[in-house]
Amino acid sequence: MRIVNYPHPTLRRTSKSLRRVDDDLRSMVRRMFELMYDAKGIGLAANQVDLPYRMFVINPSGDAARPEEEQVFINPVLSKPKGSEEAEEGCLSLPGLYAPVRRPETITLQAYSLSGEPVDATLSGLLARVVQHETDHLNGVLFVDRVSPTTQLDISPTLEEFETQFASQRQRGEIPSDAEILARLAALEAERT
Ligand code: CO
C-alpha cells in the first residue's frame, strides 16, 4: 500500500459503500494510519491508497503518539452545512501544495466507526474541515477543485508539474494503465462493497 498522487485515476473515482468490517479491513486501516503519519498528514481517504471504499482515517493531532485522537469513518454522510470559512489546505496526494479553500464552518457527520458503531456528530473548526476534505476525496473531488479562480491560476503550473511527473512514472512502468487500475478496483469492489 502507498499513497497515490494527483492525477492518479483512483482519486477521481466515486468510492463505494462498505458492506462489512473484517480483519482485512482493520489491517488496511492500520496501514493507512502509518502512511498518514509518515507523510505528516492529519487525514487520509481510502482512494488515496488506491482502495475503492467509502472510508477515511483522521488524527487531528497528526501525532502517532496520540492514538486516542485517531478516528475511522466508514460510509460517511454529511448534512446541515452552516456558515462559511476560508482556511489553507494541503493534501497528501498533492504534496507541497497549499491553498485557501472556502467551506461551511459546521457540518453534521453520520458514519460508522471501525467497530460498526453509528456516529452522529456536529463538527466545527479543523475537524469539520478535515472531514469535508476527506469526504470530497470519496466523491472524486480534490481541494484544488474548490479554490477561487485566482488561486486556480496561481496553482496551475504546480498541477502541470504533477501531471508531467505522473506521465513519466507511467512511461517508466511504475504506474499501471488506466484499464489495469480500473480492473483491480472493480475486483476489490466486488469483494467488499
Ligand atoms: Co487530501
Side-chain angles (χ1 to χ4, degrees), residues 79-85 103-108 122-124 128 132:
S79 60
K80 299 178 200 148
K82 287 193 186 79
S84 174
E85 198 172 50
R103 294 190 188 271
E105 208 173 336
T106 57
I107 198 91
T108 296
T122 298
L123 309 173
S124 59
Q132 290 178 81

Side-chain angles (χ1 to χ4, degrees), residues 21 26 74 111-119:
V21 175
R26 279 185 278 269
I74 294 168
Y112 289 92
S113 71
L114 196 55
S115 51
E117 295 295 313
V119 176

Side-chain angles (χ1 to χ4, degrees), residues 48 90-93 133-134 137:
Q48 293 184 272
C91 181
L92 297 183
S93 293
H133 176 117
E134 301 308 330
H137 271 301

Side-chain angles (χ1 to χ4, degrees), residues 62-81:
D63 187 348
R66 292 167 71 179
E68 69 278 6
E69 295 199 33
E70 290 181 352
Q71 284 186 280
V72 181
F73 295 117
I74 294 168
N75 302 345
V77 176
L78 301 183
S79 60
K80 299 178 200 148

Side-chain angles (χ1 to χ4, degrees), residues 11 43-45 48 89-94 103 130 133-134 136-137 141-143:
L11 295 171
L44 187 65
Q48 293 184 272
E89 293 190 20
C91 181
L92 297 183
S93 293
L94 286 150
R103 294 190 188 271
V130 177
H133 176 117
E134 301 308 330
D136 269 354
H137 271 301
V141 174
L142 298 168
F143 83 97

